[in-house]
C-alpha cells in the first residue's frame, strides 16, 4: 500500500500494461489497435527487455525449427511487422535501431500512452480486483496513480501481480506434481540463471587485453562443454545465479556475471589456447543481466510438459510455441562438468491457451511473457522472446475485445464466443494459431478466383482457404488439426504481368481489403550479432514479398484503383474502402523484392 496518494498524478485508462519487454510492447500495441485505451509503463529508458540494446539477445521462438518441421513456424503478426521493419531500416545490425523502432511503434498508436523510466511500486486491491497501480518516475521526480479496468503484467518478474497478492510459484516442481518425467524428483527453489552478453571486433592489429584483478579464471577444462571459438557475439552459457533468488540477489548476480564474462575473455585472449584472437577486442558488454526465470503466476490453467509434447488442441489457444524444453543446470557456468543445456524438441509446435494468461485469484489481472502460468519444464520452452511476443498479442487482443463487449472479467475467459472472436481478430491481423483458420464471409467463399497463371503447388484458390502459411502436418502441426498444403498463390516464373482476381456474379459490400504476402517464413528473421545466424537470414526486404503492386475494385462496372503500393516489404496490408458494392477485386503485380514469380498468401474481404 502506498501512502500520500494525494501527491500522485491520477491517470485513467482501460488497460495498463506493466513492462516494456517484447511481450509488453506487443500486448500494448495489440490492445491499442483493437480500440482500447492503453498505458504502457516501462522501468527502463528503452523498450525491448532482453532484446534491447541493454542486453542484446536475439528474438527466437518456434522459428528455429525450420529444418525440423515442414511447417513454416516463424512467428508473424506484430512481431513480424517489427522484424521486417528492422531488416530494411537497420542493415548495420545496430542494437539501438531496434530500440528506436519499438519506440516509434508505440508512439505511432493514438490509443497508447508510453511511460518510460516508470516503475510499478504498489497497487490497491478491492473485492479481489486491482483498482489502481502506483508508479514512480525518478527521472522527473513524479509519482502516478493509474486506474484501469484490466492490468496486464509483462514485467518478467511479475512485480505488479506480486504487489496485488496474485498466486505465483518459483523454482522447479517435482515429477509427481504434474506427472512430468523431465522434472526433478523433488521440488526445489532453483531456477534458470541469468547471463551477460558481449560483442567484439577484429581490429586488424594486435589488441592486448588487461583484465581487472577480480575476474574469474578459467581453463580449457573448465570450458570443455562450452564452445568458445567465435568471438563476435558472446555466449548465452555465461550464466550464473540459478541457485540464488534471481530477484533479491540480482545485484550480486550482476557482479558475478561481470567477473565471469571478463574472465572468459581473459582466457580467450591470454591463455595461449586461442592465438587467432590476437586482433580481437571487446567493444561492448552488458551490465544488465538477461534474466531467464523468477516468478511464474498461477492461472486458470498451468501449462505442462505433457501439454506441449502432445500439442493439446486447446479450444482457447491464442498463441503458440515451439522452442525446445531448454533447461540448464542452475549452477550455470560453475557446473563445469555438465553440458550447459538440455534441449529436447517437442514433436509439433503447440498452442498456448488463454487460461495460462489469466490470474487464478485476481480476475482483472492478465499476464504475458516468461511469467505465464506454466511449470518449470513447460516454461523452459515458452520463455523465449518470440513466443512471449505472440502471447502478448494474444492477451492484448483478448483484453481489448473483452472490454469492447462489456464482458464480466470473472467469466470472460470461459466465454466461447468471446474467445472465438479474439482468435478471429488475431488471424485477421496476421497472427497464427495452430489448428485454427480464418472464418470466411459468404461473399468471399462464393468468389470466383482466377489468375494470369498458377503453379501446381500454388493454385489461385488458396488465397481464400483461411490459412496463411505453408502447413504440412506430419512433422509440423498435428495432421488432424489442419489441411496440408502451401496455402498460397504462385504465378508462373515466365508470367511477365501476373495478376490475381476475385469476382462475384452480383456486387458484394466491401469495407476493406486485406492482403497477406509471403515473407519467407521458412527462414530466420531476427536482429542478431552472431555471424553464423546472420548468414542464415536475408537481412533486407524478403525476396518473396511483393514490392510494387496495384489493387483495383470494380464498382458499377468501372474498375477503379484503390491502392498503388511502392517499395513494400511488409507481410500484412489493409486497404480501407468506404462502404462500397464491389463486383471484382484485382491485384496486379509489378515487381517483387527478388523472387522470379509473384506470391499472395491470403486475401480477406470485409
Amino acid at each position: 500500500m502506498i501512502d500520500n496518494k494525494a501527491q500522485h498524478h491520477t491517470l485513467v485508462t482501460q488497460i495498463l500494461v506493466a513492462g516494456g519487454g517484447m511481450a509488453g510492447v506487443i500486448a500494448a500495441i495489440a490492445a491499442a489497435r483493437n480500440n482500447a485505451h492503453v498505458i504502457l509503463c516501462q522501468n527502463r529508458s528503452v523498450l525491448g527487455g532482453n532484446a534491447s540494446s541493454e542486453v542484446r539477445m536475439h528474438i527466437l521462438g518456434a522459428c528455429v525449427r525450420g529444418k525440423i518441421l515442414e511447417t513454416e513456424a516463424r512467428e508473424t503478426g506484430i512481431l513480424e511487422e517489427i522484424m521486417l521493419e528492422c531488416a530494411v531500416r537497420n542493415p548495420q545490425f545496430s542494437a539501438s535501431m531496434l530500440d528506436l523502432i519499438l519506440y516509434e511503434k508505440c508512439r505511432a498508436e493514438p490509443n497508447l500512452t508510453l511511460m518510460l523510466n516508470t516503475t510499478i511500486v504498489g497497487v490497491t486491491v478491492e473485492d479481489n480486483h486491482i483498482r489502481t497501480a502506483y508508479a514512480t518516475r525518478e527521472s522527473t521526480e513524479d509519482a502516478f496513480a493509474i486506474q484501469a479496468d484490466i492490468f496486464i503484467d509483462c514485467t518478467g518478474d511479475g512485480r505488479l501481480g506480486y504487489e496485488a497478492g496474485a498466486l505465483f510459484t518459483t523454482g522447479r516442481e517435482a515429477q509427481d506434481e504434474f506427472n512430468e518425467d523431465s522434472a526433478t524428483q523433488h521440488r526445489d527453489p532453483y531456477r534458470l540463471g541469468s547471463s551477460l552478453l558481449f560483442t567484439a571486433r577484429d581490429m586488424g592489429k594486435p589488441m592486448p587485453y588487461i583484465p581487472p584483478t577480480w575476474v574469474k579464471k578459467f581453463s580449457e577444462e573448465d570450458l570443455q562443454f562450452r564452445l568458445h571459438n567465435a568471438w563476435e557475439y558472446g555466449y548465452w552459457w555465461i550464466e550464473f545465479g540459478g541457485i540464488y533468488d534471481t530477484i533479491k540477489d540480482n545485484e550480486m548476480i550482476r557482479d558475478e556475471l561481470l567477473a565471469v564474462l571478463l574472465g572468459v575473455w581473459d582466457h580467450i585472449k591470454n591463455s595461449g589456447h586461442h592465438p587467432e584472437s590476437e586482433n580481437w577486442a571487446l567493444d561492448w558488454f552488458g551490465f544488465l543481466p538477461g534474466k531467464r526465470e523468477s516468478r511464474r503466476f498461477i492461472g486458470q490453467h498451468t501449462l505442462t510438459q505433457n501439454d506441449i509434447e502432445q500439442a493439446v488442441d486447446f479450444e482457447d489457444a491464442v498463441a503458440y510455441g515451439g522452442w525446445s524444453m531448454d533447461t540448464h543446470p542452475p549452477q550455470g557456468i560453475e557446473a563445469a562438468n555438465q553440458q550447459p543445456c538440455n534441449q529436447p524438441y517437442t514433436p509439433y509446435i503447440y498452442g498456448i491457451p488463454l487460461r495460462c494468461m489469466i490470474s487464478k485469484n485476481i480476475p482483472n489481472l492478465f499476464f504475458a511473457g516468461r511469467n505465464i502460468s506454466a511449470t518449470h519444464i513447460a516454461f523452459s520452452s515458452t520463455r523465449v522472446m518470440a513466443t512471449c511476443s505472440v502471447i502478448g498479442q494474444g492477451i492484448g487482443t483478448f483484453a481489448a475485445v473483452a472490454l469492447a463487449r462489456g464482458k464480466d472479467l470473472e467469466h470472460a475467459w470461459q466465454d466461447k464466443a468471446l474467445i472465438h472472436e479474439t482468435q478471429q481478430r488475431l488471424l485477421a491481423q496476421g497472427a497464427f494459431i495452430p489448428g485454427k483458420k480464418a472464418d470466411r464471409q459468404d461473399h468471399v467463399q462464393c468468389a470466383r478466383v482466377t489468375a494470369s497463371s498458377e503453379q501446381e503447388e500454388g493454385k489461385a484458390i488458396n488465397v481464400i482457404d483461411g490459412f496463411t502459411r505453408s502447413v504440412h502436418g506430419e512433422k509440423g502441426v498435428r495432421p488432424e488439426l489442419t489441411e496440408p498444403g502451401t496455402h498460397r498463390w504462385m504465378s508462373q516464373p515466365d508470367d511477365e504481368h501476373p495478376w490475381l482476381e476475385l469476382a462475384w456474379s452480383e456486387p458484394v459490400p466491401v469495407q476493406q481489403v486485406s492482403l497477406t504476402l509471403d515473407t519467407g517464413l521458412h527462414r530466420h528473421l531476427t536482429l542478431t550479432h552472431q555471424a553464423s545466424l546472420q548468414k542464415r537470414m536475408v537481412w533486407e526486404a524478403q525476396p518473396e514479398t511483393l514490392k510494387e503492386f496495384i489493387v483495383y475494385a470494380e464498382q458499377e462496372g468501372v474498375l477503379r484503383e484503390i491502392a498503388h503500393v511502392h517499395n513494400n516489404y511488409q507481410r500484412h496490408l489493409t486497404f480501407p474502402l468506404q462502404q462500397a458494392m464491389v463486383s471484382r477485386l484485382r491485384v496486379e503485380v509489378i515487381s517483387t523484392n527478388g523472387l522470379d514469380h509473384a506470391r499472395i498468401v491470403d486475401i480477406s474481404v470485409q
Side-chain angles (χ1 to χ4, degrees):
M1 181 66 68
I2 303 299
D3 295 326
N4 302 318
K5 296 184 182 61
Q7 300 177 14
H8 289 74
H9 302 286
T10 298
L11 306 175
V12 179
T13 190
Q14 291 180 295
I15 299 172
L16 169 64
V17 177
M22 293 307 300
V25 166
I26 290 179
I29 292 173
R33 289 183 178 178
N34 283 282
N35 301 314
H37 294 285
V38 183
I39 290 176
L40 171 59
C41 289
Q42 162 69 329
N43 67 341
R44 311 294 297 182
S45 59
V46 294
L47 298 164
N50 283 349
S52 75
S53 60
E54 293 188 304
V55 180
R56 306 194 184 191
M57 184 61 193
H58 38 230
I59 300 169
L60 296 176
C63 54
V64 301
R65 307 188 66 178
K67 293 183 178 179
I68 300 172
L69 301 177
E70 296 175 8
T71 297
E72 293 177 331
R74 195 171 87 214
E75 294 77 4
T76 50
I78 297 171
L79 176 63
E80 174 80 344
E81 175 187 330
I82 291 167
M83 286 297 101
L84 291 168
E85 188 87 11
C86 197
V88 170
R89 292 179 54 197
N90 188 17
Q92 69 272 35
F93 291 97
S94 165
S96 294
M97 276 300 296
L98 178 59
D99 296 343
L100 177 62
I101 288 169
L102 295 175
Y103 174 79
E104 288 180 346
K105 289 291 181 184
C106 290
R107 288 290 301 273
E109 295 299 327
N111 291 331
L112 197 165
T113 299
L114 175 61
M115 300 177 67
L116 295 173
N117 299 307
T118 305
T119 304
I120 300 298
V121 295
V123 302
T124 295
V125 177
E126 297 175 2
D127 300 323
N128 295 324
H129 286 65
I130 304 173
R131 302 303 181 189
T132 304
Y134 300 97
T136 60
R137 188 170 62 202
E138 294 299 324
S139 62
T140 59
E141 299 180 358
D142 281 315
F144 304 91
I146 306 172
Q147 300 172 7
D149 300 303
I150 291 175
F151 296 80
I152 306 180
D153 191 329
C154 303
T155 61
D157 285 342
R159 176 68 185 273
L160 188 152
Y162 173 76
E163 295 290 341
L167 297 173
F168 70 91
T169 188
T170 60
R172 305 188 293 187
E173 293 86 359
Q175 289 182 357
D176 59 4
E177 290 185 58
F178 292 92
N179 192 32
E180 296 177 306
D181 60 20
S182 293
T184 56
Q185 187 173 358
H186 303 288
R187 176 179 271 272
D188 63 43
Y190 298 153
R191 317 169 186 193
L192 298 183
S194 302
S195 291
L196 290 180
L197 295 170
F198 66 79
T199 59
R201 287 187 293 161
D202 184 342
M203 304 300 292
K205 61 180 182 180
M207 297 295 293
Y209 173 67
I210 303 173
T213 58
W214 39 264
V215 304
K216 301 286 185 180
K217 296 296 183 180
F218 296 97
S219 66
E220 277 293 292
E221 185 178 2
D222 293 331
L223 303 177
Q224 61 182 315
F225 297 120
R226 290 161 173 81
L227 194 64
H228 54 285
N229 59 355
W231 308 304
E232 77 283 350
Y233 178 60
Y235 311 117
W236 58 264
W237 49 257
I238 293 179
E239 181 176 357
F240 180 81
I243 62 174
Y244 297 100
D245 185 329
T246 50
I247 296 174
K248 296 298 184 182
D249 296 321
N250 194 49
E251 291 294 294
M252 177 273 290
I253 291 169
R254 187 266 329 282
D255 292 344
E256 290 296 311
L257 281 170
L258 276 171
V260 170
L261 184 155
L262 296 174
V264 168
W265 189 249
D266 180 39
H267 169 80
I268 291 169
K269 291 290 292 183
N270 297 324
S271 68
H273 290 284
H274 306 282
E276 62 274 27
S277 70
E278 182 182 23
N279 291 353
W280 283 75
L282 293 173
D283 67 356
W284 172 87
F285 48 89
F287 275 78
L288 179 66
K291 193 179 297 184
R292 291 182 175 85
E293 182 176 8
S294 50
R295 300 184 182 104
R296 303 189 304 279
F297 288 119
I298 297 175
Q300 299 295 342
H301 177 79
T302 298
L303 197 71
T304 70
Q305 173 188 346
N306 298 310
D307 289 336
I308 66 176
E309 282 187 335
Q310 297 166 19
V312 172
D313 184 19
F314 291 109
E315 189 175 17
D316 61 338
V318 294
Y320 74 101
W323 187 260
S324 64
M325 290 180 287
D326 183 6
T327 56
H328 304 181
Q331 300 86 356
I333 197 167
E334 293 185 340
N337 295 320
Q338 298 181 46
Q339 293 288 344
C341 65
N342 180 41
Q343 297 179 312
Y345 278 101
T346 57
Y348 314 104
I349 57 177
Y350 56 87
I352 301 174
L354 176 72
R355 286 168 287 161
C356 292
M357 310 165 203
I358 309 289
S359 172
K360 190 173 183 66
N361 66 317
I362 300 179
N364 70 334
L365 173 64
F366 301 170
F367 23 82
R370 61 181 173 84
N371 60 14
I372 67 167
S373 182
T375 65
H376 172 80
I377 296 299
F379 148 89
S380 73
S381 175
T382 64
R383 65 184 173 82
V384 290
M385 283 186 283
T387 305
C388 292
S389 297
V390 296
I391 292 171
Q393 185 163 356
I395 195 61
T397 303
F398 173 77
V401 172
L403 288 176
R405 299 290 175 255
K407 295 296 184 179
D408 174 11
L409 297 179
E410 293 270 5
H411 307 291
W413 58 274
Q414 298 172 302
D415 188 318
K416 292 183 179 180
L418 189 65
I419 291 166
H420 182 75
E421 181 178 355
T422 299
Q423 292 168 334
Q424 290 302 310
R425 290 272 190 103
L426 288 165
L427 294 171
Q429 294 167 6
F432 173 65
I433 307 169
K436 312 296 180 187
K437 70 175 184 176
D439 291 343
R440 291 307 191 200
Q441 301 294 329
D442 290 341
H443 59 261
V444 174
Q445 292 178 340
C446 68
R448 181 170 59 90
V449 185
T450 56
S452 56
S453 65
E454 59 185 17
Q455 297 184 35
E456 183 62 31
E457 65 274 28
K459 299 291 189 180
I461 194 67
N462 290 344
V463 300
I464 63 169
D465 69 6
F467 291 104
T468 57
R469 64 184 60 208
S470 178
V471 178
H472 291 286
E474 287 185 8
K475 292 186 285 184
V477 181
R478 282 172 47 190
E480 69 270 26
L481 299 183
T482 191
E483 299 172 17
T486 58
H487 301 292
R488 60 173 67 90
W489 165 63
M490 298 186 288
S491 71
Q492 289 288 348
D494 59 359
D495 186 346
E496 295 183 0
H497 303 287
W499 55 263
L500 180 75
E501 191 170 277
L502 273 64
W504 295 269
S505 57
E506 297 291 336
V508 297
V510 177
Q511 292 183 330
Q512 69 176 32
V513 178
S514 296
L515 297 183
T516 301
L517 306 179
D518 194 325
T519 49
L521 296 185
H522 60 289
R523 288 189 301 272
H524 287 283
L525 187 67
T526 187
L527 175 62
T528 182
H529 308 283
Q530 182 176 330
S532 61
L533 186 51
Q534 290 174 353
K535 292 175 182 177
R536 298 167 65 182
M537 301 189 302
V538 174
W539 194 244
E540 58 187 8
Q542 305 303 291
E544 298 89 347
T545 309
L546 302 187
K547 180 178 183 178
E548 184 179 359
F549 59 93
I550 304 173
V551 182
Y552 295 96
E554 183 175 314
Q555 304 169 54
E556 299 178 346
V558 178
L559 194 63
R560 296 184 173 90
E561 179 183 306
I562 62 172
H564 188 157
V565 179
H566 300 267
N567 297 316
N568 175 62
Y569 49 82
Q570 284 292 350
R571 175 178 177 83
H572 190 72
L573 302 97
T574 296
F575 308 102
L577 283 75
Q578 294 185 350
Q579 185 71 32
M581 299 301 293
V582 173
S583 57
R584 185 161 55 114
L585 286 169
R586 183 182 180 96
V587 181
E588 292 188 357
V589 179
I590 299 172
S591 63
T592 72
N593 282 292
L595 199 66
D596 65 356
H597 63 275
R599 293 184 177 186
I600 296 176
V601 177
D602 184 81
I603 297 182
S604 173
V605 179
Q606 297 178 337

